């Protein structure tokens, strides 16, 4: 009997072992087939993404960067491309066509364009050899050249915000405000309180914010503004399923228009850290611009285009928004508002930088927190230096991004070797985006000297032809050099090899930053 039990037990074990072997082999067979199918599927996906990258990405350096990314980081690279690399110049986020098709706007536009051409002829002495630059931006990007008055250079938040508060208090008809960063802090609440009060007085208040960067704005403040009658909209709402793309294409503009007469533009966001009152650990160096006059219409046009997109409304174009006849101007101050973004046919801001550098005769002073230029800008700067022009570049010594800073550093040796003087600002963080060219042209705005500002962000700059402003901005630049350290070519070349290697690696991915 015992032997029978033993035999039955052995038979049971053998049967189970046989079943296990069969199941294992079947599982292995099917797994091998699944893996083979998955490999084929992935190869087809990689092929499709490769074709899309080559077809959509016009910049050869970017194309190579994305291709290397999907080869060396297979799945992560594809996710990264679809998160950050989809070409929105083909898939436009929105169009200004609605605004341009308005009959009144079209008549105003034609008047302004005709007036701009007249300004180029009349102000040849002021424009000097920059007349061709003004004409290029007028023809290529339809950027009017307009007279202004009450032009003010605003250094840091402590100079900007009192001017902003005063202008908002004077509003009689409407306030248009658009910001990349708007924080729920002291200055943010000061401005909010005026907006609420003005809205309750019957003044039309419209407010656009970038949903990614203005995360400090908070639902409480938005609700408070809306309850008071302020119309508030995010430029491009961030949603989980589209998080990366919408983060990548950011509205980096900082615009205030009051009654179509007062305009503000520059690099300073609404945030307490821009006010150097001793409460912040880091000194924040930035530049803004305020003015009155016909050029405010350029800011107004950009705001209305952005508003019609994000609010899904259509602002009726009337003389209240473009009050040409009753705004005082002076003949020795001209401004062109240059804007660009993924909606642009041309990289207008990059072209304006290139044109300004190429038109220089004596000096080019550039201040930028992020210096990752494309080949066009690099060659223009090197050519200017080789011609004997005084080319100086002010960049942060203290940066808020190690990777971006490393990529920036990888460009310095090329420039130093041809005579460009480079300074690293050590007093704090330099966030200003400015350019001084000769004694008659200044550029102040939101665009950094990097590929992101050329291609991905919605940006806006003021290109100002004014000798007094140019002198003030040049003086501010020279003052900033007092808190900076100039780079020496030989010392820069002798840095540790592993540091230079890291910067070179960062440069490889710089088109993707």
């Amino acid at each position: 009997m015992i032997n029978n039990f033993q035999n039955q037990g052995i038979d049971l074990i053998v049967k189970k072992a046989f079943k296990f072997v069969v199941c294992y082999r079947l599982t292995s067979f099917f797994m091998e087939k699944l893996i083979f199918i998955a490999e084929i599927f992935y190869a087809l996906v990689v092929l499709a993404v490769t074709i899309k990258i080559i077809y959509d990405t016009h910049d050869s350096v970017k194309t190579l960067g994305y291709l290397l990314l999907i080869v060396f980081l297979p799945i992560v690279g594809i996710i990264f491309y679809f998160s950050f690399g989809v070409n929105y110049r083909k898939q436009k986020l929105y169009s200004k066509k609605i605004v341009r098709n308005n009959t009144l706007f079209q008549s105003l536009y034609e008047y302004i364009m005709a007036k701009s051409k007249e300004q180029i002829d009349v102000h040849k002495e002021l424009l000097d050899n920059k007349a061709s630059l003004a004409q290029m931006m007028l023809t290529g990007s339809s950027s009017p050249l307009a007279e202004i008055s009450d032009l003010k250079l605003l250094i840091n938040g402590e100079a900007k915000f009192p001017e902003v508060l005063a202008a908002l208090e004077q509003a009689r008809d409407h306030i248009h405000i658009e910001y990349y960063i708007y924080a729920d802090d002291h200055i943010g609440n000061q401005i909010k309180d005026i907006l609420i009060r003005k809205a309750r007085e019957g003044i039309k208040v419209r407010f656009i914010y970038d949903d990614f960067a203005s995360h400090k704005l908070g639902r409480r403040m938005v609700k408070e503004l809306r309850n008071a009658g302020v119309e508030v909209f995010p430029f491009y709402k961030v949603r989980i399923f589209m998080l990366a793309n919408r983060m990548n294409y950011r509205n980096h503009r900082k615009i205030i228009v009051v009654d179509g007469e007062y305009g503000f533009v520059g690099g300073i966001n609404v945030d307490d850290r821009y006010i150097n009152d001793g409460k912040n650990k880091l000194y924040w160096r930035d530049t803004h611009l305020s003015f009155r006059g016909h050029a405010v219409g350029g800011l107004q046009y950009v705001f209305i285009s952005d508003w019609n997109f994000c609010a899904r409304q259509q602002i009726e174009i009337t003389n209240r928004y473009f009050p040409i006849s009753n705004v005082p101007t002076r003949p020795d101050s001209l401004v062109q508002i240059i804007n660009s973004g993924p909606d642009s046919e041309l990289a207008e801001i990059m072209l304006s930088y290139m044109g300004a550098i190429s038109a220089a005769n004596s000096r080019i002073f550039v201040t930028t927190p992020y210096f990752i230029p494309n080949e066009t800008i690099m060659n223009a700067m090197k050519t200017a230096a080789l011609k004997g022009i005084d080319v100086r570049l002010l960049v942060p010594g203290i940066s808020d991004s190690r990777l971006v800073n490393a990529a920036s550093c990888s460009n310095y040796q090329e420039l130093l070797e041809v005579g460009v003087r480079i300074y690293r600002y050590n007093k704090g963080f330099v966030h200003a985006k400015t350019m001084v060219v000769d004694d008659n042209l200044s550029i102040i705005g939101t665009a950094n000297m990097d590929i992101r500002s050329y291609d991905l962000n919605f940006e806006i700059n003021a290109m100002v032809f004014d000798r007094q402003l140019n002198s003030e901005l040049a003086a501010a630049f020279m003052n900033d050099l007092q808190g900076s350290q100039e780079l020496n070519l030989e010392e820069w070349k002798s840095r540790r090899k592993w540091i230079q290697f890291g910067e070179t690696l960062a440069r490889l991915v710089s088109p993707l930053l």
Side-chain angles (χ1 to χ4, degrees), residues 243-262:
L243 180 63
N245 271 338
R246 293 171 185 246
M247 281 168 45
N248 196 42
Y249 295 90
R250 304 167 190 166
N251 188 331
H252 200 234
R253 293 166 179 158
K254 296 97 179 167
I255 298 171
I256 295 178
V257 176
V258 178
D259 296 337
E261 296 183 12
Y262 298 86

Short mmCIF file of all heavy atoms in Angstrom, two decimals, residues 243-262:
data_model
loop_
_atom_site.label_atom_id
_atom_site.label_comp_id
_atom_site.label_asym_id
_atom_site.label_seq_id
_atom_site.Cartn_x
_atom_site.Cartn_y
_atom_site.Cartn_z
N LEU A 243 0.57 68.88 -20.48
CA LEU A 243 1.40 69.68 -19.58
C LEU A 243 2.69 70.15 -20.23
O LEU A 243 3.02 71.32 -20.23
CB LEU A 243 1.70 68.88 -18.31
CG LEU A 243 2.57 69.57 -17.27
CD1 LEU A 243 1.88 70.81 -16.73
CD2 LEU A 243 2.89 68.62 -16.13
N ALA A 244 3.45 69.21 -20.81
CA ALA A 244 4.78 69.56 -21.29
C ALA A 244 4.73 70.54 -22.45
O ALA A 244 5.46 71.53 -22.47
CB ALA A 244 5.53 68.29 -21.69
N ASN A 245 3.89 70.26 -23.45
CA ASN A 245 3.82 71.16 -24.59
C ASN A 245 3.44 72.56 -24.17
O ASN A 245 4.00 73.55 -24.62
CB ASN A 245 2.78 70.66 -25.60
CG ASN A 245 3.39 69.70 -26.60
OD1 ASN A 245 4.59 69.72 -26.81
ND2 ASN A 245 2.58 68.88 -27.20
N ARG A 246 2.45 72.68 -23.32
CA ARG A 246 1.97 73.99 -22.95
C ARG A 246 2.98 74.71 -22.06
O ARG A 246 3.02 75.92 -22.03
CB ARG A 246 0.61 73.86 -22.27
CG ARG A 246 -0.45 73.37 -23.25
CD ARG A 246 -1.76 73.04 -22.53
NE ARG A 246 -2.71 72.47 -23.49
CZ ARG A 246 -3.83 73.07 -23.86
NH1 ARG A 246 -4.16 74.23 -23.35
NH2 ARG A 246 -4.63 72.50 -24.72
N MET A 247 3.79 73.96 -21.32
CA MET A 247 4.86 74.58 -20.56
C MET A 247 5.94 75.09 -21.49
O MET A 247 6.56 76.12 -21.24
CB MET A 247 5.47 73.57 -19.58
CG MET A 247 4.65 73.37 -18.33
SD MET A 247 5.20 71.94 -17.37
CE MET A 247 6.97 72.13 -17.38
N ASN A 248 6.17 74.37 -22.59
CA ASN A 248 7.27 74.71 -23.47
C ASN A 248 7.00 75.98 -24.26
O ASN A 248 7.90 76.79 -24.46
CB ASN A 248 7.53 73.55 -24.44
CG ASN A 248 8.88 73.66 -25.12
OD1 ASN A 248 9.86 73.99 -24.47
ND2 ASN A 248 8.92 73.41 -26.40
N TYR A 249 5.78 76.17 -24.71
CA TYR A 249 5.45 77.35 -25.50
C TYR A 249 4.82 78.39 -24.57
O TYR A 249 3.62 78.40 -24.35
CB TYR A 249 4.52 76.97 -26.66
CG TYR A 249 5.23 76.06 -27.61
CD1 TYR A 249 5.19 74.68 -27.45
CD2 TYR A 249 6.02 76.58 -28.64
CE1 TYR A 249 5.89 73.84 -28.31
CE2 TYR A 249 6.72 75.75 -29.48
CZ TYR A 249 6.65 74.38 -29.32
OH TYR A 249 7.35 73.56 -30.15
N ARG A 250 5.67 79.25 -24.02
CA ARG A 250 5.27 80.15 -22.94
C ARG A 250 5.05 81.57 -23.44
O ARG A 250 5.74 82.03 -24.34
CB ARG A 250 6.34 80.16 -21.84
CG ARG A 250 6.65 78.77 -21.31
CD ARG A 250 7.92 78.77 -20.48
NE ARG A 250 8.34 77.41 -20.17
CZ ARG A 250 9.53 77.09 -19.69
NH1 ARG A 250 10.43 78.04 -19.47
NH2 ARG A 250 9.84 75.84 -19.44
N ASN A 251 4.09 82.25 -22.82
CA ASN A 251 3.90 83.66 -23.11
C ASN A 251 4.80 84.45 -22.16
O ASN A 251 4.47 84.67 -21.00
CB ASN A 251 2.44 84.06 -22.90
CG ASN A 251 2.16 85.48 -23.37
OD1 ASN A 251 3.04 86.33 -23.35
ND2 ASN A 251 0.95 85.74 -23.79
N HIS A 252 5.95 84.86 -22.68
CA HIS A 252 6.98 85.51 -21.88
C HIS A 252 6.83 87.03 -21.88
O HIS A 252 7.68 87.75 -21.36
CB HIS A 252 8.34 85.11 -22.47
CG HIS A 252 9.49 85.28 -21.53
ND1 HIS A 252 10.62 86.01 -21.85
CD2 HIS A 252 9.70 84.83 -20.28
CE1 HIS A 252 11.46 85.99 -20.85
NE2 HIS A 252 10.94 85.29 -19.87
N ARG A 253 5.73 87.53 -22.45
CA ARG A 253 5.55 88.98 -22.60
C ARG A 253 5.17 89.65 -21.28
O ARG A 253 4.54 89.04 -20.41
CB ARG A 253 4.47 89.25 -23.65
CG ARG A 253 4.90 88.84 -25.04
CD ARG A 253 3.75 88.79 -26.03
NE ARG A 253 4.24 88.41 -27.36
CZ ARG A 253 3.49 87.88 -28.31
NH1 ARG A 253 2.21 87.66 -28.10
NH2 ARG A 253 4.03 87.55 -29.48
N LYS A 254 5.60 90.92 -21.15
CA LYS A 254 5.20 91.77 -20.02
C LYS A 254 4.70 93.08 -20.62
O LYS A 254 5.50 93.91 -21.07
CB LYS A 254 6.37 92.04 -19.08
CG LYS A 254 6.94 90.81 -18.38
CD LYS A 254 8.15 90.28 -19.08
CE LYS A 254 8.72 89.07 -18.36
NZ LYS A 254 9.70 88.35 -19.18
N ILE A 255 3.39 93.25 -20.64
CA ILE A 255 2.77 94.40 -21.30
C ILE A 255 1.77 95.07 -20.37
O ILE A 255 0.98 94.39 -19.73
CB ILE A 255 2.04 93.97 -22.58
CG1 ILE A 255 3.00 93.36 -23.61
CG2 ILE A 255 1.29 95.15 -23.21
CD1 ILE A 255 2.29 92.73 -24.80
N ILE A 256 1.81 96.39 -20.31
CA ILE A 256 0.73 97.17 -19.70
C ILE A 256 0.38 98.29 -20.68
O ILE A 256 1.26 99.00 -21.16
CB ILE A 256 1.12 97.78 -18.35
CG1 ILE A 256 1.38 96.68 -17.31
CG2 ILE A 256 0.02 98.70 -17.83
CD1 ILE A 256 1.83 97.20 -15.95
N VAL A 257 -0.92 98.42 -20.97
CA VAL A 257 -1.42 99.53 -21.79
C VAL A 257 -2.56 100.19 -21.02
O VAL A 257 -3.50 99.52 -20.60
CB VAL A 257 -1.93 99.05 -23.16
CG1 VAL A 257 -2.54 100.21 -23.94
CG2 VAL A 257 -0.79 98.42 -23.96
N VAL A 258 -2.46 101.49 -20.84
CA VAL A 258 -3.50 102.25 -20.14
C VAL A 258 -4.10 103.27 -21.11
O VAL A 258 -3.39 104.14 -21.63
CB VAL A 258 -2.92 102.97 -18.90
CG1 VAL A 258 -4.01 103.79 -18.21
CG2 VAL A 258 -2.32 101.97 -17.93
N ASP A 259 -5.39 103.12 -21.38
CA ASP A 259 -6.14 104.04 -22.24
C ASP A 259 -5.57 104.16 -23.65
O ASP A 259 -5.84 105.13 -24.36
CB ASP A 259 -6.22 105.43 -21.60
CG ASP A 259 -6.98 105.43 -20.28
OD1 ASP A 259 -7.80 104.51 -20.08
OD2 ASP A 259 -6.75 106.34 -19.46
N GLY A 260 -4.75 103.22 -24.06
CA GLY A 260 -4.15 103.30 -25.39
C GLY A 260 -3.09 104.39 -25.49
O GLY A 260 -2.56 104.64 -26.57
N GLU A 261 -2.75 105.03 -24.35
CA GLU A 261 -1.81 106.16 -24.35
C GLU A 261 -0.52 105.87 -23.60
O GLU A 261 0.54 106.37 -23.97
CB GLU A 261 -2.48 107.38 -23.73
CG GLU A 261 -3.66 107.91 -24.51
CD GLU A 261 -4.25 109.17 -23.89
OE1 GLU A 261 -3.59 109.74 -22.99
OE2 GLU A 261 -5.35 109.58 -24.30
N TYR A 262 -0.60 105.10 -22.52
CA TYR A 262 0.57 104.79 -21.70
C TYR A 262 0.96 103.33 -21.92
O TYR A 262 0.10 102.44 -21.88
CB TYR A 262 0.28 105.00 -20.21
CG TYR A 262 -0.06 106.41 -19.82
CD1 TYR A 262 -1.37 106.88 -19.91
CD2 TYR A 262 0.92 107.29 -19.36
CE1 TYR A 262 -1.70 108.18 -19.56
CE2 TYR A 262 0.60 108.59 -19.00
CZ TYR A 262 -0.71 109.03 -19.10
OH TYR A 262 -1.03 110.32 -18.75
#
